[in-house]
Amino acid sequence: MRCYCCNKMLSDFEATRKSVHTNEYLDMCNKCYATISDDLLTYERTDLYDEDEDYEEEELDHNEYDSFSRMDNRVDNDY
């Protein structure tokens, strides 16, 4: 599986990221997903995340990386 935006090979973690609203796979690498992550809520298989893979440090905030957790905060604060 390759990234829809940049054609990079996806890891298992990246390949299993789904939209909360459509339940469809996003098929985006972490670098491309980082550009829209604040606007798109996702389900992520954090058990597949591999810290040994080559990710940029600024993309991964380990305290908030699970987008579903951020969705809970938005629901409480935005509605």
Side-chain angles (χ1 to χ4, degrees):
M1 181 70 57
R2 293 192 168 271
C3 177
Y4 178 77
C5 301
C6 71
N7 206 34
K8 174 188 170 266
M9 286 293 288
L10 299 178
S11 68
D12 290 339
F13 173 72
E14 295 165 325
T16 57
R17 184 181 289 129
K18 286 184 167 185
S19 168
V20 168
H21 300 291
T22 65
N23 207 34
E24 293 181 11
Y25 292 101
L26 296 182
D27 298 333
M28 294 177 76
C29 70
N30 287 333
K31 185 174 182 178
C32 294
Y33 173 69
T35 64
I36 63 166
S37 63
D38 290 339
D39 299 320
L40 183 64
L41 302 175
T42 60
Y43 297 112
E44 295 177 335
R45 294 271 319 268
T46 54
D47 60 314
L48 295 176
Y49 173 67
D50 183 5
E51 291 186 24
D52 294 333
E53 292 187 38
D54 188 26
Y55 300 118
E56 293 181 23
E57 281 297 317
E58 65 187 16
E59 291 178 350
L60 300 178
D61 181 356
H62 295 289
N63 295 328
E64 285 192 322
Y65 195 62
D66 185 0
S67 296
F68 195 70
S69 295
R70 284 186 277 167
M71 185 183 81
D72 291 341
N73 292 336
R74 287 184 185 179
V75 170
D76 293 339
N77 297 329
D78 291 345
Y79 297 104

